[in-house]
Amino acid sequence: MTSLSFYQVDAFADRPFAGNQAAIMPLDEWLPDDVMQAIAAKNNVAETAFLVASDRDDADYDLRWFTPAVEVDLCGHATLASAEIVLGEDAVRFSTRSGILTVERRDGLLWLDMPASRVAPVTAGGEAQALGQPVCGIWGVTGGNGGAIVLLENETAVRAAKPDFAKVAACSNGFIIATAPGDSVDFVSRVFCPTFGIDEDPVTGSAHCALTPFWAERLGKSRLSAFQASSRGGKLQCEMRGDRVLLGGQCVRVIEGRFSL
């Protein structure tokens, strides 16, 4: 029987049971893909991150992310959570499907450097019916995990959305980012991604790679405060830097143990 180090971290959270859960599993070498997918299904949290020491000159670790159903191209909260486990004094660099992602500790937060996604208006489909709320506009997302930004009237509408997940799965690549101006922050959001094996993701770093440029342009500012209004809730600081997005947040370790295979 093989015994592996195992951690569970609440990311974009300042206390346990908030933010988004990630399981972190440092490995000496990659396990077979089907085994890592089975482990992620067993963990049954939004993402399980696996990392091994990198042999690249520009990275410290190679990093992969699995939902309970699929491997994904980009995940912010599990990258932040991975840094919480392996980060030393300065910064840590991860080689991923989305390039090199860096996390540094600054001003009491972990800051994650990610590629900005491109957004462009698209014709409305079934998003209003899927969310049960009037829609003010839809923008397709290129990069990250794709999907669409769906603009709602206000924070109340975002919080009141009652998704029909079968309808969500049938439109926008099954990945809908509902958003609106915030009452006490620059913008709020909720993220629904049933085709990824997650009906509602609690806090989604990859979605903020699209939300940050979207709201930076609309509000005419490069630094923004955000709240993802899931039942767990998560706070993010967002900053545009050229074609990159910086996301700042806190992490809380909640479990340390061993995983037996």
Side-chain angles (χ1 to χ4, degrees):
M1 182 174 289
T2 302
S3 180
L4 305 172
S5 297
F6 171 86
Y7 304 86
Q8 198 170 104
V9 176
D10 290 341
F12 297 112
D14 57 5
R15 66 188 189 282
F17 313 120
N20 201 352
Q21 303 174 86
I24 310 301
M25 299 189 69
L27 303 172
D28 293 328
E29 59 184 6
W30 295 118
L31 300 169
D33 287 3
D34 61 336
V35 173
M36 290 190 288
Q37 186 63 73
I39 290 172
K42 175 69 173 178
N43 289 337
N44 198 33
V45 295
E47 302 282 350
T48 296
F50 299 92
L51 57 158
V52 300
S54 182
D55 58 7
R56 296 172 55 123
D57 292 335
D58 59 352
D60 302 301
Y61 295 91
D62 298 329
L63 176 64
R64 296 171 68 182
W65 312 282
F66 290 77
T67 77
V70 296
E71 184 174 7
V72 297
D73 292 332
L74 184 62
C75 178
H77 86 276
T79 305
L80 205 75
S82 296
E84 169 66 23
I85 301 303
V86 301
L87 178 61
E89 292 297 321
D90 299 317
V92 59
R93 304 163 300 168
F94 298 106
S95 173
T96 77
R97 282 185 171 191
S98 292
I100 301 298
L101 307 182
T102 301
V103 181
E104 64 175 339
R105 198 183 305 276
R106 174 167 51 86
D107 302 327
L109 299 177
L110 293 174
W111 287 91
L112 169 59
D113 182 329
M114 306 178 78
S117 296
R118 297 186 301 277
V119 298
V122 295
T123 303
E127 287 81 6
Q129 293 75 22
L131 295 179
Q133 292 290 328
V135 169
C136 302
I138 301 175
W139 286 258
V141 176
T142 301
N145 294 308
I149 290 175
V150 179
L151 181 63
L152 304 184
E153 183 178 4
N154 51 38
E155 181 172 327
T156 299
V158 172
R159 291 180 178 273
K162 291 181 168 46
D164 180 322
F165 291 111
K167 291 180 179 178
V168 171
C171 60
S172 300
N173 192 37
F175 195 104
I176 288 181
I177 306 164
T179 191
D183 295 338
S184 58
V185 294
D186 288 312
F187 66 90
V188 297
S189 65
R190 290 173 67 191
V191 174
F192 310 108
C193 41
T195 58
F196 288 73
I198 310 161
D199 284 344
E200 179 168 2
D201 196 36
V203 191
T204 315
S206 63
H208 285 79
C209 290
L211 287 167
T212 302
F214 176 81
W215 283 108
E217 182 176 357
R218 294 179 73 85
L219 299 178
K221 56 195 298 189
S222 61
R223 296 183 179 182
L224 305 109
S225 58
F227 183 74
Q228 192 157 328
S230 64
S231 59
R232 291 174 63 93
K235 301 175 183 177
L236 306 93
Q237 298 298 316
C238 309
E239 183 176 341
M240 284 300 304
R241 285 210 183 159
D243 62 354
R244 308 290 293 183
V245 168
L246 299 185
L247 301 179
Q250 295 176 273
C251 286
V252 180
R253 298 191 197 193
V254 293
I255 297 173
E256 298 185 23
R258 307 294 298 180
F259 192 107
S260 297
L261 288 179

